[in-house]
Amino acid sequence: MQSYLVLSDEVRAARLAAKPVVALESTIISHGMPYPQNVQTARELEQIIRDGGAVPATIAIMNGKIHIGLNDEELELLGNSPDAMKVSRRDLAYALTNNKLGATTVAATMICAALAGVEVFVTGGIGGVHRGAETSFDISADLQELARTSVAVVCAGAKSILDIGLTLEYLETHGVPVVSVGQPAFPAFFTADSGYKADFQLDTAEQQAEFIHAKWTLGLNGGIVIANPVPVESAMPKEEIESITQKALQLADEMDITGKAITPFLLNRIKQMTEGRSLETNIALVKNNAVVGTQLALALHHLRKRTV
C-alpha cells in the first residue's frame, strides 16, 4: 500500500514534527468550480489550515500514485485540466494503474486519507441519496464510505440538490453519526437549515474530538459527519435555491444526464441561474469548514497526546 502513496514535502515534514494534518479533496478543484477560482480557492483553503496551526494535504491521483499534498504546479495542473478523471472508490485502482490524472471525490479522499493516517477531512458538502432514487437507485458512494472508513468529514451538510431526508435515513441505517455545529438543524449546503435535525449537536472542537475518540476507541469503525452550516451572511434563501434546483433537475432529466456527471452539471447550472452567487456561497462555506476542520484536527491531536 505504501508504494502507492506520495507525501508532499510539507506533509512529510508535518509527520516528522508530529503536527496534525487536514485532508482536502480535489474534485472541488477539477469539477466543483471554474478556473481560476478553483485553484485560488484551493490555495486559500490550504492557507487557512496553515494559519490555524495544521498542515493541509490536498489529495489527488497523479502518475500512478496517490498524492497526499500537492505543490503549486500540481494544483494548477489539476485545476486547469479538462481531462481530470473524477475518482471514487470504484475508480481508484483503474486511475492508478492507467496513469490517469484523477481528482478524488469525498469517498476516494476518505480512503486515501485513511491510508495515510489522516483523521480529519474538509470538504464542501457530502453526496447522498439523489432525488428520484426510488427509481434510479442513484445513491452516492460517499455514504457507504462513511459507513466503513474511519475519517471525520467536516462539511456544510449534504448538497441541497439531494433528497436530504433519505440521505439522513441511509446514514442512520449504517450507523454513521451526524453531528451539527452551532445549531440542532442539519445544514443543506447553500442554506443553513435543511428542515431536518442532526443526531447530535457538539459546538466545540474539544467536544467533537472527545466524541470521535470515544467512538473509535470502542471499535466503532466508520466515519463521522461534522455538519457545519454555511455562514449566515453567505447563505442563500431556501425558497430561491429550491426553485432553481428544481429547474436544474428538470433540465438534467431532459438531457439524460445521470451518474457521476449529475452533481457537477447541477452545480454549474445553479451557478449560471444565480449569476454566480451560488459559487460565492460555495467558496464561503468551504472556507468556514476549513476553520472548523483545523480546530478539530488540533483538538484530536492534543487529545491523543494526553491519552497516550
Side-chain angles (χ1 to χ4, degrees):
M1 176 268 291
Q2 291 297 325
S3 65
Y4 285 109
L5 294 181
V6 174
L7 306 186
S8 69
D9 292 342
E10 188 177 16
V11 172
R12 191 178 300 109
R15 285 291 169 78
L16 292 173
K19 292 184 66 175
V21 177
V22 176
L24 294 163
E25 67 163 293
S26 46
T27 297
I28 195 172
I29 304 171
S30 63
H31 295 79
M33 296 181 186
Y35 182 83
Q37 291 102 323
N38 54 359
V39 175
Q40 179 183 344
T41 300
R43 289 178 175 145
E44 290 172 351
L45 289 174
E46 292 193 340
Q47 194 56 49
I48 288 169
I49 291 168
R50 292 186 189 102
D51 291 344
V55 172
T58 301
I59 294 175
I61 311 301
M62 293 181 173
N63 303 313
K65 301 289 184 182
I66 298 169
H67 284 249
I68 310 295
L70 303 179
N71 60 34
D72 280 346
E73 292 76 18
E74 290 165 341
L75 278 176
E76 189 72 27
L77 172 65
L78 196 63
N80 201 20
S81 174
D83 300 321
M85 181 180 178
K86 188 176 179 183
V87 177
S88 189
R89 167 177 276 268
R90 71 174 181 184
D91 314 301
L92 261 175
Y94 175 83
L96 287 168
T97 55
N98 288 272
N99 292 318
K100 296 292 186 181
L101 176 63
T104 52
T105 62
V106 168
T109 305
M110 288 183 71
I111 294 168
C112 297
L115 290 174
V118 179
E119 296 180 321
V120 178
F121 160 41
V122 166
T123 186
I126 60 170
V129 179
H130 282 261
R131 303 187 193 196
E134 61 273 14
T135 55
S136 70
F137 283 83
D138 192 350
I139 300 173
S140 171
D142 296 354
L143 300 187
Q144 193 62 40
E145 209 58 55
L146 279 159
R148 58 161 60 116
T149 302
S150 297
V151 172
V153 180
V154 181
C155 61
K159 297 180 180 73
S160 50
I161 58 177
L162 303 168
D163 187 318
I164 292 180
L166 291 184
T167 297
L168 291 172
E169 286 287 351
Y170 190 104
L171 290 171
E172 189 274 334
T173 297
H174 290 275
V176 178
V178 176
V179 175
S180 65
V181 181
Q183 62 179 36
F186 181 71
F189 199 67
F190 294 120
T191 60
D193 187 349
S194 66
Y196 296 88
K197 284 191 174 182
D199 299 322
F200 315 106
Q201 179 179 341
L202 298 173
D203 296 338
T204 70
E206 290 73 23
Q207 290 173 319
Q208 296 155 18
E210 291 278 2
F211 175 87
I212 292 165
H213 178 69
K215 179 183 187 299
W216 290 338
T217 299
L218 290 168
L220 301 173
N221 296 329
I224 301 98
V225 175
I226 304 294
N228 181 44
V230 58
V232 174
E233 65 274 13
S234 301
M236 299 193 67
K238 188 173 182 178
E239 295 76 13
E240 178 189 11
I241 199 66
E242 178 60 25
S243 173
I244 289 171
T245 297
Q246 290 287 357
K247 293 175 183 176
L249 284 165
Q250 182 177 350
L251 183 59
D253 185 58
E254 292 170 358
M255 297 175 66
D256 197 29
I257 295 172
T258 59
K260 64 169 66 177
I262 187 70
T263 296
F265 172 82
L266 292 174
L267 291 177
N268 185 54
R269 290 299 303 179
I270 290 169
K271 178 177 74 71
Q272 293 174 5
M273 295 167 78
T274 59
E275 299 179 334
R277 287 183 295 123
S278 65
L279 177 59
E280 293 174 7
T281 298
N282 194 345
I283 292 171
L285 67 84
V286 75
K287 287 181 177 180
N288 191 40
N289 293 343
V291 173
V292 170
T294 302
Q295 293 170 348
L296 173 57
L298 289 169
L300 270 172
H301 180 70
H302 295 318
L303 180 58
R304 295 263 190 267
K305 289 172 67 176
R306 293 199 310 270
T307 55
V308 169

